[in-house]
Amino acid sequence: MSNGSAVSVKRRSLLVYGLVLLQALVLAGVAVSYYAVGWFGQDVRVRTVPVDPRDLLYGDYVTLSYDISRLDPSLWKDPGSRAERGKTIFVVAAPGADGLFEAKAAYGSKPSAGQGEVVLKGRINYNWDDAIAVKYGIEKYYVPENTGQALEEKADRLIVHLKVAPWGQAVIQGLEDRKD
């Protein structure tokens, strides 16, 4: 075997090891990003209106719709762009008088959050003249089997506890009954 082919084999081996390491790092990054929301996220509570479907693979879940998922178009504060379907949106939310978070503004690029505010990252589902519909990736909440119906009956009296990371990702921490 010549010296040149030995170097070529070593380079290929290093390349293969490098690619395997890169894939492992990407997978670890995805897993860590989910847990990082819990470590660095701010606690947020929002109102919901759930519906109870069933997933054959995962069991019962509640589909959640939030007050902050339907925005008034006047909240769009990004003068250089339009709120278009499929576009990333950043919603600034702050606690209202009752302590539940409400949407205060929406942008096409990430703004800085003020004191007591959080910035939620979502995707515009549709934009009509009277509303901007936003999906945040927290619209499904899996529940123990045969408990979804009970949650559906309490649809107008639920509050969702979220953790919102500084980069806008949100994770559901739990549900509670609203006491009003």
Side-chain angles (χ1 to χ4, degrees):
M1 188 186 280
S2 71
N3 192 20
S5 65
V7 170
S8 177
V9 169
K10 284 185 180 180
R11 282 187 182 162
R12 274 193 229 131
S13 295
L14 286 175
L15 181 61
V16 169
Y17 289 132
L19 289 174
V20 169
L21 179 63
L22 180 64
Q23 289 176 343
L25 288 173
V26 167
L27 289 173
V30 169
V32 168
S33 74
Y34 179 81
Y35 290 106
V37 174
W39 301 328
F40 302 111
Q42 180 176 343
D43 287 318
V44 173
R45 296 173 23 179
V46 293
R47 276 185 203 68
T48 68
V49 181
V51 178
D52 181 23
R54 177 146 172 77
D55 186 315
L56 293 175
L57 296 176
Y58 298 106
D60 284 354
Y61 67 91
V62 177
T63 298
L64 301 169
S65 178
Y66 304 94
D67 285 350
I68 60 173
S69 294
R70 186 175 168 92
L71 306 176
D72 187 292
S74 67
L75 294 177
W76 185 255
K77 305 296 183 194
D78 207 347
S81 66
R82 292 178 25 111
E84 297 175 0
R85 181 186 177 118
K87 187 175 181 178
T88 299
I89 186 170
F90 294 89
V91 177
V92 177
D98 57 3
L100 299 175
F101 277 66
E102 301 170 350
K104 300 297 181 188
Y107 299 87
S109 58
K110 188 175 185 304
S112 53
Q115 182 69 23
E117 295 178 334
V118 296
V119 178
L120 290 151
K121 181 179 179 182
R123 184 150 317 273
I124 299 173
N125 195 33
Y126 66 80
N127 181 10
W128 291 344
D129 291 337
D130 65 336
I132 300 170
V134 180
K135 295 235 181 234
Y136 297 99
I138 51 172
E139 286 74 27
K140 282 187 182 180
Y141 183 66
Y142 289 92
V143 296
E145 194 154 340
N146 299 322
T147 62
Q149 182 67 35
L151 287 173
E152 183 179 341
E153 292 170 4
K154 297 191 264 184
D156 60 344
R157 300 182 314 271
L158 289 176
I159 294 173
V160 173
H161 286 264
L162 302 173
K163 280 278 197 172
V164 180
W167 51 91
Q169 184 180 1
V171 174
I172 297 174
Q173 298 293 299
L175 301 174
E176 75 174 55
D177 288 333
R178 198 167 65 207
K179 297 165 179 56
D180 55 11

